[in-house]
Structure formats: C-alpha cells, structure tokens
C-alpha cells in the first residue's frame, strides 16, 4: 500500500506539472500536498507501533486521498484534462487497500478478549442493565 501511495505521488507530480502556469500557486500545490500526505501518514502510523495510532494515521491518509480525488475532479471540470487512467487506478487501489487494512484493524480489536482495558480502536460493546 505504501508503494502504491509513493507511485501516486510521482503520478501527481507528473500530472500537475502539465497544468496551466496560473495554477502554480493554486491547484498544483494543493494536489501535491494531498498526494505527499498519503504515504507520509501511512509511514508515520506504521512507526507509531499501536493499532490505534496506525488506524488514526490511515484515516488521515484516507482523507488526503479523498482531497486528492476531489482536486483531480476540479482540474477536469476546469478543463485542464482528466487524470491519466493509471493515476486514477493507483488512487482507487490505494483507497481500497487503506479501507481493507482499517477494517482489519477494527475487526482484530473487536475480536480480542476484553480485559480491564478498553480496545485500542473501539470501546467495548456493553449494555447498561437496570
């Protein structure tokens, strides 16, 4: 997933370098910041060492992917050209893999036996009986 995110950065830099000069202070830096944020947050989350922190940083990476997808749509609507198919496919694949990993982290947290400590991802499910 990190490798796909790194390829996404390269693709965004290539695509954004072809945008009109007047976007050099507008859309170009926005696209690049969002793209750079994805592998950066994946790496930071992995380095934190806890499922809860990993999940939090993967969520931030997913938000950056959504920003990037929106910015690519804006560029297309401004008639700057659609993102190349391989760039869009890499974005979609990275998004799917992030979602799958995040679901897996939550599922593992939900399956772990509940001790006196709450789950690192979700609070234990409990009901109050009167």
């Amino acid at each position: 997933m990190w490798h796909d995110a790194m390829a996404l950065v390269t693709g965004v830099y290539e695509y954004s370098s072809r945008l009109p000069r007047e976007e050099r202070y507008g859309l170009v830096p926005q696209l690049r910041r969002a793209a750079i944020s994805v592998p950066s947050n994946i790496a930071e989350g992995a380095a934190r060492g806890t499922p809860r922190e990993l999940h939090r940083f993967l969520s931030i990476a997913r938000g950056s992917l959504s920003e990037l997808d929106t910015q690519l749509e804006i560029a297309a609507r401004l008639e700057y050209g659609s993102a190349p198919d391989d760039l869009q496919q890499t974005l979609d694949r990275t998004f799917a893999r992030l979602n799958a990993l995040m679901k897996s982290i939550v599922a593992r947290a939900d399956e772990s036996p509940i001790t006196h400590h709450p789950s690192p991802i979700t609070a234990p499910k409990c009901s109050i009986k009167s």
Side-chain angles (χ1 to χ4, degrees), residues 1-102:
M1 176 177 48
W2 179 84
H3 292 286
D4 281 341
M6 293 296 286
L8 190 65
V9 172
T10 304
V12 166
Y13 267 75
E14 290 170 1
Y15 170 76
S16 64
S17 69
R18 296 189 301 266
L19 292 178
R21 189 172 184 91
E22 65 262 18
E23 288 299 336
R24 113 181 101 186
Y25 299 113
L27 198 51
V28 170
Q30 291 285 68
L31 283 161
R32 290 177 176 186
R33 270 194 296 272
I36 290 168
S37 176
V38 178
S40 299
N41 279 292
I42 292 169
E44 187 168 355
R48 294 290 178 128
T50 67
R52 181 181 190 150
E53 288 290 297
L54 176 58
H55 190 274
R56 183 168 76 89
F57 280 92
L58 293 178
S59 180
I60 294 167
R62 186 173 60 182
S64 294
L65 277 174
S66 293
E67 282 183 56
L68 180 57
D69 193 38
T70 298
Q71 293 158 359
L72 291 171
E73 178 63 25
I74 289 168
R77 288 181 183 209
L78 292 173
E79 299 180 358
Y80 295 152
S82 296
D85 287 341
D86 61 330
L87 177 58
Q88 190 64 51
Q89 289 169 0
T90 302
L91 189 150
D92 294 342
R93 185 175 53 247
T94 305
F95 196 85
R97 288 178 175 173
L98 271 172
N99 279 336
L101 181 54
M102 291 171 71

Side-chain angles (χ1 to χ4, degrees), residues 95-114:
F95 196 85
R97 288 178 175 173
L98 271 172
N99 279 336
L101 181 54
M102 291 171 71
K103 286 179 185 178
S104 172
I105 292 168
V106 170
R108 278 185 276 153
D110 286 345
E111 291 171 2
S112 65
I114 298 174

